[in-house]
Amino acid sequence: MAFETILVEQKGAVTLITLNRPQSLNALNSQVLGELIEAFAAFEADASQRCAVLTGSGEKAFAAGADIKEMADKPAADFYNEDFFSKWTSHIVKTTRKPWIAAVNGFALGGGCELAMMADFIIASENAKFGQPEIKLGVAPGMGGSQRLTRAVGKAKSMDMCLTGRMMDATEAERSGLVSRVVPLADLLGEALKAAETIAAMPPMAAVANKEMVNAAFETTLDQGLLFERRVFQVLTASEDKAEGMKAFIEKRPGVFKGR
Ligand code: CO8
């Protein structure tokens, strides 16, 4: 697949996707959207690939938002009629069952913050900065920011960020539950790839199940979520990988998993 705005590499069982428009701080335009959807679909379809990492090229930005230059002169009717960014908002999240990590290396603003929050978790570099500054442009988050940020950090911080447009640094983002780890910029990719390799070595069905269970916590009542968790656990006990995982533990050796 030939892409112009992203780079895709396979590193063993891990797919590394890099947003590659450093001259505009990896701003997200329609071409990036199309290419990301294709790259994630290819990752999902390739049985040899078990986890992905999404990052930005350069040291300054993961993505500084949706491309303002693309949106500036676009008539409102086009945003509405095209249902602008609807595919982006839900497609990657809903169709990517395998786990993926956002490695945020600098600014993650507007659509960039929203894209990072679509990942299963975020690892950030010490210079990372998160924000939903759309209000300053006369608009508001449009790719999930008002919903996912609020679920991640709570109403107080989400309102503060959306209404003032201020940025949150990596330390505050970790303290607030937006990111899982903060590491020096030089270690970011290594740390994210290491985490992805760890996940890639897990029993694949269990990886998908764990992801679905955690995500269910945002969609269901506690009772429904607990029932879903219990049923999925019970289904997993029928897998060959469960038999192998438990046998390997008892025999004090690493498990060899087949995804069955
Ligand atoms: N879009 C287009 N170009 C951008 C963007 C962007 N979001 N961000 C930066 N760039 C470009 C700049 O224009 C500049 O290009 P040029 O050299 O040609 O002038 C280049 O990247 C470098 O940027 P700066 O010179 O501004 O770099 P600084 O270090 O001075 O500042 C900042 C860095 C603070 C990140 C600054 O660039 C900035 O504020 N960027 C915009 C951030 C922003 O407002 N993001 C939100 C965009 S709106 C959005 O994401 C909405 C998503 C939902 C839409 C859904 C619709 C339904």
Side-chain angles (χ1 to χ4, degrees), residues 9 28 45 66 120 123 142 149 169 184 223:
E9 297 159 73
L28 306 165
D120 297 315
I123 302 180
L149 184 65
D169 67 18
D223 262 356

Side-chain angles (χ1 to χ4, degrees), residues 23-24 27 60 64-69 84-85 109-111 114 134 142:
Q23 68 288 354
S24 53
K60 210 169 154 185
D67 193 320
I68 298 168
K69 291 164 191 164
F84 197 63
F85 286 159
L109 303 177
E114 293 168 308
E134 289 93 336

Side-chain angles (χ1 to χ4, degrees), residues 223-237:
D223 262 356
Q224 288 166 335
L226 291 172
L227 179 62
F228 176 70
E229 178 191 87
R230 215 160 53 242
R231 291 288 178 258
V232 174
F233 178 98
Q234 290 158 355
V235 167
L236 284 175
T237 61

Side-chain angles (χ1 to χ4, degrees), residues 179-234:
V179 313
S180 68
R181 317 178 193 180
V182 178
V183 297
L185 179 61
D187 300 339
L188 177 68
L189 199 53
E191 183 84 4
L193 288 171
K194 206 165 86 188
E197 279 155 19
T198 301
I199 294 167
M202 297 294 175
M205 285 167 66
V208 171
N210 274 271
K211 169 171 169 162
E212 287 177 346
M213 283 179 185
V214 175
N215 282 334
F218 293 97
E219 307 283 349
T220 63
T221 63
L222 180 59
D223 262 356
Q224 288 166 335
L226 291 172
L227 179 62
F228 176 70
E229 178 191 87
R230 215 160 53 242
R231 291 288 178 258
V232 174
F233 178 98
Q234 290 158 355

Side-chain angles (χ1 to χ4, degrees), residues 65-118:
D67 193 320
I68 298 168
K69 291 164 191 164
E70 187 180 63
M71 294 187 294
D73 296 325
K74 200 175 174 72
D78 289 2
F79 282 99
Y80 188 82
N81 290 329
E82 292 166 15
D83 201 2
F84 197 63
F85 286 159
S86 61
K87 276 199 197 149
W88 212 337
T89 308
S90 58
H91 190 89
I92 291 172
V93 175
K94 289 200 174 137
T95 57
T96 309
R97 296 175 73 213
K98 294 175 188 174
W100 64 284
I101 301 166
V104 171
N105 55 309
F107 293 113
L109 303 177
C113 184
E114 293 168 308
L115 178 60
M117 289 190 293
M118 291 178 204

